[in-house]
Amino acid sequence: MHPPEADVVLVRHGELGVKSEQVRRKMEDRLAQNLRAMFDARGLSGDIERRRNRLFVHTAEPDAVADAAADTFGVVSASPARTVEPTLESIEAALVAATEAHYDGGTFAVDAARAGPSDAHPFASTDIESEGGAAVWDTIESLSQDPAVDLDDPDFRLFVECRQDAAYVFLEKRAGPGGLPLGTQRPVVALVSGGIDSPVAAWKLMARGCPVVPVYVDLGDYGGPDHRARARATVETLASYAPGEEMAMHVVDAGAVVADLEAEMGDLRMLALRRYMLVAAEAVAESEQAVGVVTGEAIGQKSSQTSANIAVTDAAASLPVHRPLLAMDKADITNLARRIGTFEDATVDTGCNRVAPELPETNADLDALRAAEPSDLFERARACAEAREVVLIER
């Protein structure tokens, strides 16, 4: 929803504003670059103007541009707005037009902020709210409705941001992912299984500025139906959030290894497989100049993810293993998967239940695990990673 004659989108970022001047400028440059890539990917046009702690996108497509901005990492919120002269008269006229176009009953409020030196305007933000609120009140009465003000939780809220050279009137703040612009951190490898959790974990690292290198470990006959296709679909969704980055899915074959673990190991085989995956992911990371591995594990969600078992699987890794979902409940993970668009493609059997023993170990001992697993397990992991298939994600 936007006011009539909306011609600009206000793009807000958060953490960038507390960085040093040099770092902030670099991150704002990257954010502007990522916004341009997102607009181009969606066939949108707009001129990006940078100001301190704000980006303004001047466009004839404010709704679509605001949606695109709200899907861009580093953006806290985006608002399609109308630009007017920084005078009370012009602001009030825009508030009246927005009310006439969109008010459909209930309480209202005018929320104003004024930026710039104290003498930039002959009025304060409270003047905008009181005078603008009075104009909105009169407009609602002219619509044959009964106006009522609620400053805390109104049914209809109008916003004004008044700067020295222009004022902006808008009706909503579309929430973005926040975080940092993608590409402002070093890459990490993301183990993606095709299930619900792993693409959410990868997305959360992307929201912290890290490009991801997706690695899919193919379980062979132990994988679920259409498992690889579903994993690729979730990776394609992740790629849609990174139109300026080339993304490929690295497929590591583990079919023979899984068959051997199932035949030779007992209640520890799932942990041995997790260790195989981490070693393979590290091998991919080394060749892709990545600096860590991200997984979708959460404490206690599965037998292999108890705090004790995470400790023994982590012992196989030398790079940091990032687990952004570690303390999240499954319901919250699922809700986030729905929000970012990976849930539907992820609702498929990952195949791991075909590998897990009937009574898996939940409190593994590292020495016992090392003694039980094949002596060449890590060697095979690195060899399979070296022989991996790289599937470029087309956009």
Side-chain angles (χ1 to χ4, degrees):
M1 184 167 62
H2 60 77
E5 301 180 43
D7 58 351
V8 68
V9 174
L10 279 59
V11 179
R12 304 172 189 87
H13 55 70
E15 292 183 53
L16 278 62
V18 302
K19 304 294 184 184
S20 69
E21 186 72 14
Q22 183 179 15
V23 172
R24 181 182 61 80
R25 286 183 177 276
K26 287 182 178 179
M27 287 192 171
E28 285 184 345
D29 285 344
R30 186 58 189 244
L31 179 56
Q33 177 183 331
N34 293 351
L35 284 168
R36 171 54 57 203
M38 187 69 79
F39 299 157
D40 289 346
R42 299 188 183 186
L44 302 173
S45 60
D47 296 325
I48 300 174
E49 176 190 0
R50 277 182 43 189
R51 300 190 190 181
R52 186 176 181 85
N53 295 331
R54 282 284 191 281
L55 283 82
F56 295 80
V57 185
H58 303 277
T59 179
E61 306 167 280
D63 267 323
V65 165
D67 283 342
D71 283 338
T72 304
F73 298 116
V75 172
V76 171
S77 65
S79 299
R82 176 181 176 182
T83 308
V84 298
E85 292 296 317
T87 64
L88 280 178
E89 294 77 8
S90 297
I91 293 169
E92 288 174 22
L95 290 171
V96 167
T99 303
E100 291 174 339
H102 294 290
Y103 179 78
D104 61 358
T107 58
F108 79 93
V110 175
D111 190 344
R114 194 186 66 85
S118 58
D119 60 352
H121 310 97
F123 52 84
S125 58
T126 52
D127 296 320
I128 298 174
E129 292 173 343
S130 60
E131 296 296 326
V136 171
W137 181 287
D138 292 342
T139 303
I140 293 173
E141 285 189 327
S142 73
L143 297 173
S144 301
Q145 300 205 47
D146 296 324
V149 174
D150 182 349
L151 300 180
D152 296 321
D153 187 26
D155 300 302
F156 182 63
R157 189 185 292 274
L158 303 101
F159 298 90
V160 179
E161 183 171 308
C162 187
R163 291 178 171 256
Q164 189 164 2
D165 58 344
Y168 305 92
V169 174
F170 52 97
L171 300 174
E172 61 176 330
K173 297 179 181 180
R174 300 183 191 177
L180 301 174
L182 188 65
T184 56
Q185 301 294 314
R186 292 282 298 280
V188 295
V189 161
L191 280 167
V192 291
S193 67
I196 293 173
D197 304 328
S198 57
V200 175
W203 185 91
K204 286 181 76 69
L205 262 290
M206 294 169 73
R208 296 307 304 168
C210 299
V212 298
V213 180
V215 171
Y216 168 68
V217 178
D218 192 333
L219 303 181
D221 293 339
Y222 291 84
D226 300 323
H227 184 233
R228 175 169 167 169
R230 292 297 185 96
R232 176 169 177 166
T234 63
V235 171
E236 288 173 348
T237 300
L238 292 176
S240 71
Y241 287 94
E245 301 278 337
E246 182 179 281
M247 189 175 290
M249 187 170 76
H250 297 245
V251 182
V252 176
D253 181 17
V257 171
V258 174
D260 290 347
L261 294 178
E262 198 276 336
E264 299 171 11
M265 293 188 68
D267 59 359
L268 295 171
R269 62 175 175 261
M270 194 62 208
L271 300 181
L273 177 58
R274 295 298 302 173
R275 283 159 62 83
Y276 169 93
M277 290 178 175
L278 287 179
V279 173
E282 281 199 341
V284 176
E286 183 178 349
S287 67
E288 297 296 316
Q289 291 79 53
V291 296
V293 177
V294 56
T295 80
E297 293 164 299
I299 288 180
Q301 188 179 127
K302 297 179 180 178
S303 61
S304 63
Q305 297 176 21
T306 64
S307 57
N309 286 350
I310 286 174
V312 299
T313 54
D314 255 11
S318 56
L319 286 177
V321 180
H322 305 290
R323 295 182 173 91
L325 313 185
L326 193 67
M328 291 182 66
D329 292 336
K330 186 67 174 186
D332 294 330
I333 297 169
T334 300
N335 288 338
L336 184 51
R338 292 182 188 277
R339 182 165 76 83
I340 67 177
T342 59
F343 176 79
E344 184 175 349
D345 289 320
T347 51
V348 62
D349 183 357
T350 64
C352 289
N353 63 319
R354 295 177 173 85
V355 184
E358 186 175 344
L359 296 172
E361 176 62 68
T362 59
N363 189 30
D365 175 78
L366 181 57
D367 290 337
L369 178 55
R370 285 171 171 163
E373 67 190 8
S375 59
D376 64 345
L377 182 65
F378 293 176
E379 213 174 291
R380 294 175 72 180
R382 286 186 281 268
C384 290
E386 179 69 25
R388 69 188 181 277
E389 178 186 359
V390 180
V391 181
L392 185 65
I393 300 302
E394 300 289 346
R395 293 181 171 86

